[in-house]
Each structure stands twice: as structure tokens, then as C-alpha cells.
Amino acid sequence: MATTARSEDTRVVRSACRMCHGVCQVLVYLRGGRVLKVTGDPDSPTSRGYICPKGAASPELLYHPDRVTHPLRRIGKRGEGKWRRISWDEALNEIEEIFSRIRRESGPEYVAIGQGTGRPYTDFTLRFANAFGTPNFVAPAHLCYMPRVFASVITLGQLPITDVYGAGGNHPACVVIWGCNITASGAADGMCGRLIEQALRTAEKVIVIDPRRITPAKKATHWLQLRPGTDGALALAMIHTIIAEGLLDRDFVHNFTVGYEQLVEHVRPFTPEWAAAVTGLTVDGIRDAARTYASTSPACMLWGSATDASASNFQTARAQLILRALTGNIDRPGGDVLWVAPRGVRQKSPFMNPEQSGAHFLPADKPECAAVRKFALNAFLHAPSFWKSVVSGKPYRVRAMWLIGTNPLLSQTNPLLIEEALRDHLEFTVVSDFFITPTAALADLILPAATWLETDDVANLHKIWCVLARKKVAQVGESRDDHEVILELAKRLGLHEAFPWQSHRSYLDSLLYETGMNFDQFCERGILAGEMTYHKYREKGFATPSGKFEIYSNTARQLGLEPLPVYREPQLSPVSSPQIAREYPLILTTGARSNPFFVSEGRQIQSLRRINPDPLVEIHPATAERLGINKGDWVWIETPEGRVRMRAALFDGIAPDVVSAQHAWWFPEEGPPEYGWKKSNTNLLLGDKAGYDPETGAECLRSSLCKIYPV
Ligand SMILES: Nc1nc2c(c(=O)[nH]1)N[C@H]1C(S)=C(S)[C@@H](COP(=O)(O)OP(=O)(O)OC[C@H]3O[C@@H](n4cnc5c(=O)[nH]c(N)nc54)[C@H](O)[C@@H]3O)O[C@H]1N2
Ligand SMILES: Nc1nc2c(c(=O)[nH]1)N[C@H]1C(S)=C(S)[C@@H](COP(=O)(O)OP(=O)(O)OC[C@H]3O[C@@H](n4cnc5c(=O)[nH]c(N)nc54)[C@H](O)[C@@H]3O)O[C@H]1N2
Ligand code: SF4
Ligand SMILES: [Mo]
């Protein structure tokens, strides 16, 4: 039921939160058209009543006094902080006029589109770029999620998902938490931390692989505190152990995989002894964890962005998939399963439904025109190379850019170069956001985006097994759903074939068409889930060329990639760059999520900022003492690329030679022009020297070298 009357004038609407990637179903309390509060929905199968502080702070975001609530046109110089309020019509006229002129004069590739992590309108951004005719689409997916999606699609046809829901009657007996911390952050990639907490309570064995003693590590059977960036070596040694000790699911390996024989040869050198030297773990620690994982079934493995933002992301993901296959945990109840999508709902995530990307609208000669060479496994443009092309003008300089929901000065590496690109080189920049962020401060036009409370949606970004109803319940100022803005511009620019819908609402109805429901009826239901079945490969095989789980991947080989998983040492590490390590002796990992903030968001929301008022870097107490640093001191973190200030948080759950810094910090309260973005932004510490994954182009955000000293 979508709406229930609670008292005379308070209404409760069931909806789906979107303060992070979104997975929690929530209850929105309204009085007289005003949102009073948002709480968890105890009846939700995806979140079981959970709500985190971000979700609860949704009304604070909605009514925040600093929100941009109408389109703004720059007056004065770029970044000077002078704006004029304009109408939507003026704003759209200007974008239409400039994009059309550039398309005519230079070609559509001279307009670039940028977006951040997956957001509700991800189904329209790439489609818009392709339909407009530009291959210049920039997004962070190559260091977040896409490596796991590509590895899964190539290896077994579909991304497996941790089966903590119990649809098959079994809960995981063993839970592996590998570089993922959603019991602390709330949620990621469509999985709610509350479900993992429940799985941890009922599991017999828990294995945590994390350089920090995260909460689940405290009670874990095994906590593998590895050196950041070395996950690939650990995975290979676990494969080695499982094979050497005959701990396989022989039936699955024999009947449903290809390439096992080659794997046996391939992993022979990757002994636990070899991996212990690489990862800093003990030989027994590695062997025992592999034994536990292989002998406790069913076992599920939660993975995350820690391995994505590394020098061997695709390779490590392949090794993790192979571990799941060797132990027979693929598509087994309580293992890692291939979820069944809800019947009749058109998938709108371009990850799940490639048609949605609109790639077929991009004229055949245009992919070649991309401003920078694409990596084999990055469907988009490599962001660091793209910004370089804007600054250098080589091979050509994009003239205009629309940044929709991304704050690259905070979230991307080499941000000083991005600042230069935005300030001095792009002719025209549009930013769609809720606030004037440091990035928006350098724009020519700012478009006020609607928050989730102000939008209707069939929400399904990462959750391929269900879709959730999101119902518009509020409207502040002239903010508009990004979907509607893109649709309107697409019409004005003549992109009718790709965007045939009259309105966003008719698009939503079209997604639901085959369910026999329209959007309003769907809202009454709240959720549509797939009917889960298991062991589907026994009848249908896997969606790969061989129909089997491809341990040895011919597809990878044909793409010029390693067909069996390999480990690559991070470029900045005590092992690969000992001379740099002499000056920068500590290993730096950045961006472990903190609960109150979603990447660079939330710093101006008081209830959230109170939880985490200052940027923090975690240091082992012994290291801090040696360096003369006390708890709460401001310290400099310095790398070969730059230095920033943060407050020291002493934590004995991190190795003495490792530090972990929060990312994406800025200080909205400091106001224009910079809003303090150069003070504590870890991405000022990261640039070319940390290297890139050769297959995806991923930046090594989780393994660099630094030194620390008191301010
Ligand atoms: N050092 C370091 N850097 C990292 C990471 C790390 O771990 N370490 N993580 C990386 C990862 S995994 C990712 S995915 C990227 C994320 O990078 P981004 O997605 O670029 O994240 P943000 O910098 O927070 O920028 C998002 C902006 O979008 C706005 N926004 C939010 N919702 C909407 C909406 O619905 N519409 C519009 N128009 N705007 C909206 C927010 O207000 C915010 O200003 O960062 C990466 N950067
Ligand atoms: N509250 C909140 N939730 C979020 C986000 C947010 O900013 N805030 N961001 C969203 C986004 S864009 C993403 S991609 C996801 C990310 O969410 P997750 O995939 O859960 O990743 P993180 O929390 O970034 O990091 C998980 C763990 O990796 C560990 N770690 C660091 N380096 C390494 C390493 O080299 N190896 C291993 N094994 N572990 C390492 C960290 O200590 C941390 O505990 O979260 C999403 N959800
Ligand atoms: S975890 Fe994400 S979806 Fe759930 S309440 Fe928090 S912000 Fe909302
Ligand atoms: Mo991400």
C-alpha cells in the first residue's frame, strides 16, 4: 500500500530512499505538503526497517537554505561567485543554442557529458551522449563496480549477488567480507548493511579481508589484515590452496567450467608462501582462511570498491569469481547467486540492459573520434586522460561539457588540472547539482536538481532482482528531475528516436508496460521482485560462449587481456618503488566510506556533519607516537603529488605502516570561491605517479605512499 492515513493531517507514503546508491524502502511522513520525517520501513525485504543518518536527514537536504532552487547564470568572471537567477526556459535555450552550434561548427564530439557514481538518471545520461553523437562520456565506473561487472559478464554471463535473503531456504554458513564495509557505511551496490549484519549473526564462519579492523572483523573467524592493493595475490594463493588440498566441488568444476586444467598449471607458483611475502599475511593465515571458505557451505562473498580502485581490478575480480566456482557456491542457496529480474519490467540500468545505453544511436564513425584512447575494459572515457586533453588541446579540445551529478574537483585524481580545464579551457560548462559545489562554482550555468523526495521513479540501479517505487512527495523552488531536463533537451536537439517519450512519467509507464501496471499502480505495490530459482546453469548453462563458467577466458584473450588471473603490484609501493618509499614510508589508502557522507555530499547538512565534523586520517598509535602526533592533531599528509591537512584519529586496528584517509572533503561553510576544497581533499595526493590498471584505467586510490607530520 503506497499511502496510509495516520492521523487527521499526517500522511505516510511508502517510498525508496536515494541518499546513497539506494536500497532502503522508507516511510515518508507528510503534513500539509511538508515532509516531516523519513523512517525505515519494517516490511521491506531489501532493508528490513533500516535507515541510516543520511536517509533520516533527507528532509534536511530537501529544505536546506543553501540549495540551488532555480537556474543560475554566471555574471562576472568564472569562479568569481556572481550569479543571476534565470528561468528554466532561458537556461534550456542557452544550452540548446550552444550545443547545436558546436555540433554544427565542430561536430558533436566537441560536447562532453560527465556523471559521477550511479544515480537515478544513469539510464538517460549515456543514452543522451550517444544520441547526441558524442563518444566523450566521462564517469568513474572503471574504478567502481564496472570491473566486477565486466569480470562477471565475461566469466559467467552475469554479476553474482550475495544470497542473504533466504529465498532458497538456506542462509550463508560462511560469509566473506572482502574490501567492503557496508555494515558501517549503510549500503553499496544495491545491498543493505542490515542484511549483512543478520547474515553475520547466523553464519558459522566469517572471513574479513581488510587492512582495517572493521566491526565484522572483531568477531570474525579469520581477519586477514593484508597490505592494501595486494588482494589479487591473496586470491591466487587461496585458489592454489584449494586446488592443492583437493577442497574443490568436483561436480561443479568438472561439469560446468572450462579451463580448470590450465588454472592448475597457472597457479602452481602462487603458493601461500609467495602470497605471504606479498601481502604481509602469514602462510597459515592464508591457508586456514582458504580451508574455512572451501569447507563451510554455503558460502557467500561480499566484494566492494577496494579492489576496483586498484592496479589489478578486473584480474582480482576474476580470481574472486573463480574462488566461488571452485567451491561450488555459484547460484546455490546461501551462496553467490544469479538473481532473476522481476518479470515484465524493462531493465533500465545500462549495466543490465546494454540497449538502454543507446550505443546503437552513436554514428559509426564517432567512437574513433573520442578525445582519448579507451581502455579495453572501460566503456567510458578515462577521466584523467580526458581532463589532460582539455588542457593540452590534444588530440583536440572539447568545447562544452555538461556535468550531471558529479563533483570531480573532490572525487577525481589530479584535481588541479581539472580546475584549470574548467576555469581556462572549456568554452561552456553546465553543472546540474543540489548545491554550488566547488565544481559548480566554476560553471557557466547551474541547473537545480530535484532530490529523491521530488521525483517519481522505478528505482532499480544495481538491484537486478527487484524494482522499488519512488513517489514524488515534495517540490522546492524550481528544482527539476534530471530525467525531465535531459528529456526536454533531447527533444529540443532533435533526438526523438532515442527519447520518444512525452514525459518522464510516460517513460516510467513504458518500463512497466508488460507488467500490466502503470506507475500509480506500481506505487501501490511498492516493490516488484523476481521469482528466485537456483542452479539455473544445470538446465540453461551460463551465458558465455562455451555455455560454461569460463575459468580460462577466451573472451579475455581475444581482447588482448590475460585469460587467467594475474596479480600486479601497485606502482607506488615499498616493493615496486623502494626509493620513493624511503621518503614516503607509509602506505596510504583513501576513501573507506564513512557513514554520514555519500562521497562529497552532506558536508553542509548539520545532523550529518555533527557525526563527523572534520576530515580524519587513521594512524596506528605507535606510529603516531613515533611521529609526535596526538589524537585529534591536525597533520599534513604528503605524497609525491601534494599535501593536505587532516585530523589524526588513532586506531590500533590498522597496521603501523598503513594510514587510511577519508576522501572528498570540502567545507561549504567557507564559501566561494573555493569552499575550502584544497585543504583536505585526498585526491590532491593522487595523480599519475600511482599508476593505472592497464585494462580498465582505474586509479589506484587504495594504495599509494605518503609521509605524515604534525601541522
Ligand atoms: N580518493 C578517492 N577518490 C574517490 C574514491 C575513493 O575511494 N577515494 N571513490 C571513487 C568512487 S568509488 C566514486 S563512485 C566516485 C564518486 O564520485 P562522484 O559521483 O562524482 O561523487 P561526488 O564528488 O560526491 O559528486 C556527486 C555530486 O552530485 C550531486 N548529486 C547527488 N545526487 C544528485 C542528483 O540526483 N542529481 C544531480 N544532478 N546531482 C546530484 C551531489 O550533490 C554531488 O555534488 O568517487 C571516486 N573518488
Ligand atoms: N555512507 C556511504 N555509503 C556509500 C558511499 C559513501 O560515500 N558513503 N559511497 C558509495 C560508493 S560510490 C561506493 S563505490 C561504495 C563503496 O563501498 P565499499 O565497497 O563497501 O567500499 P569502502 O567502504 O570504500 O571500502 C571498504 C573497505 O575496504 C578497505 N580497504 C581499503 N583498502 C583496501 C585494500 O587494498 N584491500 C582490501 N581488501 N580492503 C581495503 C577499507 O578499510 C574499507 O573498510 O559505497 C557506496 N556507499
Ligand atoms: S543506506 Fe542508503 S538507501 Fe539506506 S537509508 Fe541510508 S542513504 Fe538511504
Ligand atoms: Mo563508487
Side-chain angles (χ1 to χ4, degrees):
M1 199 164 48
T3 310
T4 29
R6 284 289 163 99
S7 72
E8 263 322 284
D9 49 357
T10 306
R11 250 183 347 126
V12 183
V13 176
R14 195 176 180 197
S15 192
C17 176
R18 203 34 161 101
M19 294 293 274
C20 74
H21 284 151
V23 61
C24 301
Q25 290 183 283
V26 290
L27 303 173
V28 183
Y29 289 70
L30 294 154
R31 187 181 295 148
R34 202 170 161 88
V35 178
L36 295 179
K37 64 172 178 177
V38 179
T39 66
D41 176 354
D43 298 328
S44 167
T46 62
S47 54
R48 303 202 182 138
Y50 181 72
I51 187 154
C52 78
K54 296 181 293 303
S58 302
E60 249 179 290
L61 169 67
L62 177 70
Y63 300 121
H64 199 287
D66 297 344
R67 255 190 86 186
V68 179
T69 52
H70 37 73
L72 295 175
R73 180 77 186 71
R74 168 173 69 85
I75 43 177
K77 284 209 300 246
R78 278 217 179 116
E80 213 182 350
K82 293 191 184 140
W83 304 92
R84 179 169 67 86
R85 174 180 176 163
I86 58 172
S87 69
W88 269 104
D89 223 38
E90 275 177 271
L92 293 170
N93 284 343
E94 182 169 354
I95 301 172
E96 178 192 345
E97 192 273 311
I98 293 177
F99 282 15
S100 306
R101 182 158 48 77
I102 293 176
R103 180 169 59 180
R104 202 173 51 241
E105 289 172 357
S106 309
E109 64 273 24
Y110 282 75
V111 174
I113 306 292
Q115 91 154 72
T117 186
R119 289 210 160 77
Y121 48 87
T122 301
D123 50 339
F124 273 14
T125 40
L126 180 56
R127 193 175 176 88
F128 177 86
N130 281 323
F132 185 76
T134 179
N136 292 323
F137 183 82
V138 186
H142 65 295
L143 59 74
C144 173
Y145 198 58
M146 192 156 47
R148 283 173 280 156
V149 172
F150 270 128
S152 302
V153 169
I154 285 175
T155 307
L156 71 159
Q158 188 184 332
L159 183 90
I161 304 214
T162 312
D163 188 28
V164 292
Y165 300 91
N170 269 338
H171 288 276
C174 175
V175 178
V176 182
I177 300 188
W178 196 324
C180 174
N181 192 17
I182 59 172
T183 54
S185 64
D189 306 333
M191 174 62 70
C192 176
R194 167 67 57 90
L195 277 290
I196 299 302
E197 275 168 10
Q198 292 179 350
L200 291 173
R201 272 198 293 277
T202 53
E204 289 162 37
K205 309 278 181 182
V206 174
I207 301 172
V208 173
I209 301 167
D210 197 303
R212 294 161 58 238
R213 192 180 61 231
I214 57 173
T215 304
K218 290 181 194 156
K219 289 191 188 159
T221 330
H222 307 268
W223 169 37
L224 302 182
Q225 187 184 22
L226 81 180
R227 170 162 69 92
T230 62
D231 302 82
L234 172 63
L236 287 170
M238 288 175 72
I239 295 174
H240 175 103
T241 305
I242 289 169
I243 292 174
E245 303 194 0
L247 303 172
L248 309 172
D249 182 326
R250 286 180 199 287
D251 171 59
F252 184 85
V253 172
H254 182 74
N255 293 310
F256 302 107
T257 70
V258 290
Y260 176 69
E261 296 309 323
Q262 287 109 307
L263 180 72
V264 172
E265 281 309 308
H266 177 73
V267 298
R268 220 179 279 283
F270 304 129
T271 58
E273 287 76 10
W274 166 79
V278 176
T279 58
L281 299 167
T282 63
V283 173
D284 285 345
I286 297 172
R287 211 174 260 143
D288 290 347
R291 287 175 184 151
T292 298
Y293 174 61
S295 60
T296 319
S297 70
C300 68
M301 186 191 291
L302 198 66
W303 49 2
S305 73
T307 43
D308 287 341
S310 80
S312 26
N313 55 17
F314 168 78
Q315 296 293 336
T316 303
R318 287 254 304 136
Q320 291 167 317
L321 289 164
I322 290 170
L323 278 168
R324 294 173 171 114
L326 295 179
T327 53
N329 280 304
I330 299 282
D331 218 17
R332 160 197 273 182
D336 295 300
V337 295
L338 305 180
W339 276 95
V340 180
R343 200 182 308 210
V345 183
R346 201 163 71 82
Q347 291 287 322
K348 63 175 191 175
S349 158
F351 287 122
M352 304 308 159
N353 175 9
E355 193 278 334
Q356 182 70 36
S357 73
H360 51 292
F361 293 111
L362 188 68
D365 60 324
K366 287 300 172 197
E368 291 302 308
C369 296
V372 295
R373 184 180 70 82
K374 289 191 179 175
F375 282 80
L377 290 180
N378 185 352
F380 310 140
L381 279 204
H382 186 233
S385 311
F386 168 74
W387 294 112
K388 277 182 203 157
S389 80
V390 175
V391 171
S392 70
K394 289 183 191 129
Y396 64 90
R397 177 174 291 130
V398 156
R399 297 177 58 188
M401 186 159 193
W402 185 5
L403 293 157
I404 313 178
T406 181
N407 195 0
L409 291 182
L410 276 308
S411 56
Q412 294 185 19
T413 58
N414 277 323
L416 294 173
L417 190 90
I418 302 176
E419 179 191 42
E420 189 187 333
L422 291 170
R423 191 190 51 216
D424 303 332
H425 297 292
L426 287 168
E427 284 171 35
F428 180 62
T429 311
V430 187
V431 169
S432 299
D433 209 302
F434 306 140
F435 295 100
I436 305 184
T437 63
T439 303
L442 291 170
D444 301 305
L445 265 188
I446 305 179
L447 302 180
T451 65
W452 68 272
L453 290 159
E454 300 162 292
T455 57
D456 287 327
D457 211 352
V458 177
N460 82 332
L461 178 76
H462 292 318
K463 300 173 291 294
I464 53 175
W465 63 283
C466 70
V467 289
L468 306 177
R470 179 172 302 134
K471 187 102 180 107
K472 174 167 176 163
V473 292
Q475 173 71 49
V476 171
E478 294 177 5
S479 70
R480 265 206 196 176
D481 185 343
D482 302 280
H483 281 111
E484 285 167 14
V485 181
I486 297 171
L487 197 55
E488 167 78 23
L489 265 170
K491 282 205 173 59
R492 287 165 172 251
L493 293 164
L495 316 178
H496 305 291
E497 203 188 336
F499 292 90
W501 309 283
Q502 280 300 316
S503 62
H504 182 231
R505 178 59 87 91
S506 63
Y507 166 70
L508 296 178
D509 285 337
S510 80
L511 297 176
L512 296 163
Y513 181 73
E514 285 179 24
T515 66
M517 279 184 278
N518 63 23
F519 183 70
D520 288 323
Q521 291 161 327
F522 170 58
C523 287
E524 287 297 312
R525 277 273 195 103
I527 181 170
L528 276 179
E531 277 169 43
M532 189 56 194
T533 56
Y534 295 85
H535 297 300
K536 296 175 282 295
Y537 58 84
R538 287 185 185 158
E539 280 176 12
K540 294 196 270 179
F542 288 102
T544 57
S546 63
K548 305 235 170 150
F549 180 106
E550 301 199 343
I551 293 174
Y552 181 96
S553 173
N554 259 320
T555 312
R557 197 180 51 82
Q558 283 156 8
L559 289 167
L561 316 171
E562 298 291 341
L564 286 165
V566 295
Y567 166 68
R568 292 185 203 102
E569 181 64 27
Q571 199 165 305
L572 278 187
S573 87
V575 176
S576 54
S577 43
Q579 55 313 344
I580 298 178
R582 266 196 290 278
E583 191 181 345
Y584 301 97
L586 297 170
I587 297 165
L588 171 69
T589 174
T590 70
R593 270 42 184 169
S594 75
N595 179 288
F597 304 126
F598 191 70
V599 195
S600 74
E601 292 178 47
R603 303 303 189 285
Q604 62 286 85
I605 295 178
Q606 277 185 15
S607 70
L608 300 179
R609 187 69 181 273
R610 265 200 298 275
I611 302 173
N612 191 155
D614 299 309
L616 298 176
V617 54
E618 287 175 345
I619 310 174
H620 191 279
T623 308
E625 198 188 339
R626 188 166 54 76
L627 298 173
I629 294 166
N630 297 307
K631 174 174 184 273
D633 283 356
W634 284 94
V635 296
W636 286 110
I637 312 172
E638 184 178 326
T639 69
E641 303 277 0
R643 67 173 194 172
V644 299
R645 270 164 292 175
M646 291 206 170
R647 271 196 129 121
L650 305 193
F651 180 40
D652 65 3
I654 193 164
D657 61 344
V658 177
V659 296
S660 171
Q662 293 184 338
H663 77 310
W665 266 91
W666 58 297
F667 302 87
E669 67 276 14
E670 294 191 6
E674 290 192 344
Y675 300 92
W677 76 266
K678 289 175 184 163
K679 272 185 165 172
S680 304
N681 173 7
T682 39
N683 282 328
L684 285 163
L685 302 174
L686 299 166
D688 291 340
K689 293 193 183 73
Y692 302 101
D693 176 288
E695 289 155 351
T696 61
E699 297 86 325
C700 299
L701 306 173
R702 302 293 167 120
S703 48
S704 181
L705 290 172
C706 74
K707 62 180 168 191
I708 290 199
Y709 44 94
V711 166

